[in-house]
Amino acid sequence: MPVEPATRIAYLLRMLSSTLNQQIERALRPLDLTQAQLAALAQLAISAPARLSSAELGRRAGVTPQAMWSAISNLEHRGLVRRSPHPTHGRVLEIAITEVGSSVLEQAQELTAPVDAHAMATLTEAEKRQFRSLLLKTMTGLGIPHPDPGRG
């Protein structure tokens, strides 16, 4: 007998993720940003003043190195990030966010905040904390890197 999809956590997360992704993409349209680009800007801002490689940004954003390379190329063309050679690894390019990139990141976070708020609107503050905690534990269990839960 088939299992009811709504009882499977993977199904529920897939549906939630798909809907959130669509809403975030719509929210980012005025800035002409993709989610990969937003993730790159956010990771670079968190890491600043340290610089990150495209491969590391891809890992942190959960996208392929090729997808991140494309995202970074677009961001660099727009002056939102800059690439420079690694001081000791000649083939590695390090990426840093620019002031303009920081400003665009702030705008993007303002545009996408209502998506988060809407998604969590039916939960109490205690349920929101618990939900975040459970998601982070699940990510840890799957070996997915995530930000420190104490950082907001």
Side-chain angles (χ1 to χ4, degrees):
M1 175 171 231
V3 176
E4 172 65 33
T7 65
R8 306 290 305 253
I9 193 70
Y11 171 81
L12 295 173
L13 288 174
R14 164 78 174 81
M15 296 304 296
L16 178 62
S17 176
S18 177
T19 300
L20 287 173
N21 286 338
Q22 291 171 16
Q23 291 179 10
I24 289 169
E25 288 287 344
R26 273 196 299 278
L28 292 172
R29 279 187 194 144
L31 297 175
D32 194 27
L33 281 181
T34 65
Q35 288 187 66
Q37 292 167 340
L38 174 59
L41 291 174
Q43 287 299 321
L44 290 167
I46 290 167
S47 300
R51 297 165 177 240
L52 299 173
S53 69
S54 183
E56 179 60 24
L57 282 171
R59 279 190 291 278
R60 292 183 183 196
V63 299
T64 65
Q66 296 84 356
M68 185 52 69
W69 184 260
S70 175
I72 293 300
S73 293
N74 183 281
L75 293 173
E76 183 181 37
H77 178 73
R78 294 174 60 188
L80 306 181
V81 301
R82 68 179 165 276
R83 292 189 257 203
S84 58
H86 188 280
T88 57
H89 302 288
R91 294 183 62 194
V92 175
L93 291 176
E94 295 182 314
I95 304 156
I97 192 168
T98 64
E99 282 188 44
V100 175
S102 293
S103 176
V104 169
L105 172 60
E106 191 173 309
Q107 293 172 50
Q109 289 174 333
E110 288 173 11
L111 289 173
T112 58
V115 175
D116 282 344
H118 185 252
M120 304 292 267
T122 61
L123 302 179
T124 66
E125 288 305 314
E127 288 170 332
K128 290 175 189 177
R129 284 190 302 276
Q130 183 180 24
F131 186 59
R132 284 185 191 101
S133 174
L134 293 172
L135 286 174
L136 290 170
K137 283 183 179 182
T138 303
M139 290 172 71
T140 298
L142 292 172
I144 301 170
H146 57 78
D148 177 64
R151 294 174 81 178

